[in-house]
Amino acid sequence: MPLINASMQLPGLAVALLYTGLTSAQPADPQTETLQLERRAAQCVPHLESLERLLIDSIHRLEPTMGERLRQIPEIERRIARLRQQLDQELQDYEKLPWRPEHRIRLQALENEIWTNQSAIRSTQFDERNLTVMKPALSSTRLQQSAVLQQLDAFTAARHDCESPQHSPQCYAEEVVPLHPLLQSALDDTHALLKTLWSQLSNIAFYSMTWIDDCAPTAPSGFGRQPSPDFQTPAR
């Protein structure tokens, strides 16, 4: 049966779906593909800028005091050793005396002081490890941001040039389309970087996983949603 006759027998919704399927199967024209790719890159760049600021702020918060905190660790360890000796001695002394509630209070105070000093060491070591993660992450983020911006600038300049009246309709195909793979590659690299850094930074400085999707060359389903929330630093 000819398509036109068959479509007349279908409900209106089915006809609309059939028409949509037929039209969506057609390849996008170069101008549409160009604008979509440029839009993806323009959406991704602010995420890299935000991640750079987040890492800079986190590094600046930790780095100035890190040297002094590390130098204090040996003295804190000696303090912990003295407190443990004192705790052991008082436990032995209290065993020779009738038990009183204040004994438990005294022992608990020593235990808490030991825990506080141990916590100070753990916190310093944790922050030191975080710095060893954040510094190379910052360098990678800056390099990737520069790479995307370089390709995006060239891409946008070529598109604007082709939109000038003096250029032929073939301008897009000749000048802009060859730049597609370069910008797509830059977005691919950014997508991979953000995916890798997300697991490394999730306990240090959180950013939304939607940033990873936003920096993919091809939009996921639901593209056009509201912009993803800004980054945030986990509560310490």
Side-chain angles (χ1 to χ4, degrees), residues 14-62:
V15 173
L17 291 173
L18 176 61
Y19 177 78
T20 301
L22 291 174
T23 56
S24 64
Q26 300 301 319
D29 62 273
Q31 290 91 337
T32 300
E33 292 180 346
T34 294
L35 292 174
Q36 289 175 344
L37 186 57
E38 187 176 341
R39 181 184 177 189
R40 297 296 293 168
Q43 184 177 21
C44 176
V45 168
H47 296 329
L48 290 171
E49 294 171 347
S50 294
L51 180 56
E52 180 185 13
R53 291 197 306 272
L54 171 61
L55 290 169
I56 289 172
D57 290 345
S58 298
I59 290 171
H60 286 178
R61 175 174 53 83
L62 295 177

Side-chain angles (χ1 to χ4, degrees), residues 51 54-55 57-58 61-62 126-127 130 134 198-208 230-236:
L51 180 56
L54 171 61
L55 290 169
D57 290 345
S58 298
R61 175 174 53 83
L62 295 177
F126 178 75
D127 288 341
N130 288 346
M134 288 189 291
W198 191 88
S199 60
Q200 296 177 1
L201 299 175
S202 59
N203 292 326
I204 306 171
F206 175 80
Y207 60 87
S208 172
D230 206 356
F231 58 80
Q232 52 185 287
T233 304
R236 292 175 58 82

Side-chain angles (χ1 to χ4, degrees), residues 11-227:
L13 177 60
V15 173
L17 291 173
L18 176 61
Y19 177 78
T20 301
L22 291 174
T23 56
S24 64
Q26 300 301 319
D29 62 273
Q31 290 91 337
T32 300
E33 292 180 346
T34 294
L35 292 174
Q36 289 175 344
L37 186 57
E38 187 176 341
R39 181 184 177 189
R40 297 296 293 168
Q43 184 177 21
C44 176
V45 168
H47 296 329
L48 290 171
E49 294 171 347
S50 294
L51 180 56
E52 180 185 13
R53 291 197 306 272
L54 171 61
L55 290 169
I56 289 172
D57 290 345
S58 298
I59 290 171
H60 286 178
R61 175 174 53 83
L62 295 177
E63 194 169 37
T65 61
M66 184 53 59
E68 180 61 25
R69 291 170 65 189
L70 288 171
R71 286 190 292 271
Q72 290 175 356
I73 286 180
E75 176 56 34
I76 296 174
E77 290 174 336
R78 289 190 290 270
R79 188 183 308 145
I80 291 172
R82 290 194 299 268
L83 288 168
R84 283 176 171 163
Q85 290 177 353
Q86 186 176 353
L87 178 62
D88 291 342
Q89 183 60 53
E90 295 198 17
L91 280 170
Q92 294 176 15
D93 292 342
Y94 290 152
E95 287 178 354
K96 304 172 185 177
L97 301 172
W99 178 254
R100 298 178 61 85
E102 54 265 30
H103 295 170
R104 177 66 262 171
I105 294 174
R106 172 59 181 167
L107 295 176
Q108 189 170 11
L110 289 171
E111 291 168 349
N112 288 341
E113 192 171 355
I114 291 171
W115 183 90
T116 298
N117 282 274
Q118 290 173 331
S119 180
I121 293 176
R122 288 193 297 266
S123 178
T124 298
Q125 293 172 338
F126 178 75
D127 288 341
E128 182 187 27
R129 287 193 298 270
N130 288 346
L131 282 172
T132 64
V133 171
M134 288 189 291
K135 287 184 175 181
L138 175 60
S139 177
S140 298
T141 299
R142 283 172 165 168
L143 288 173
Q144 194 56 40
Q145 181 181 344
S146 176
V148 175
L149 283 172
Q150 181 180 359
Q151 298 302 330
L152 179 59
D153 287 346
F155 197 85
T156 303
R159 178 179 65 78
H160 286 168
D161 191 46
C162 285
E163 290 173 351
S164 300
Q166 66 268 26
H167 286 91
S168 69
Q170 295 300 316
C171 185
Y172 265 86
E174 295 173 355
E175 303 294 335
V176 181
V177 172
L179 299 178
H180 283 202
L182 298 177
L183 186 54
Q184 288 174 339
S185 177
L187 286 172
D188 275 330
D189 291 343
T190 304
H191 178 266
L193 176 66
L194 289 178
K195 190 174 181 179
T196 298
L197 292 182
W198 191 88
S199 60
Q200 296 177 1
L201 299 175
S202 59
N203 292 326
I204 306 171
F206 175 80
Y207 60 87
S208 172
M209 287 191 72
T210 59
W211 290 12
I212 301 172
D213 291 336
D214 290 345
C215 288
T218 304
S221 59
F223 181 62
R225 61 188 184 276
Q226 294 296 318

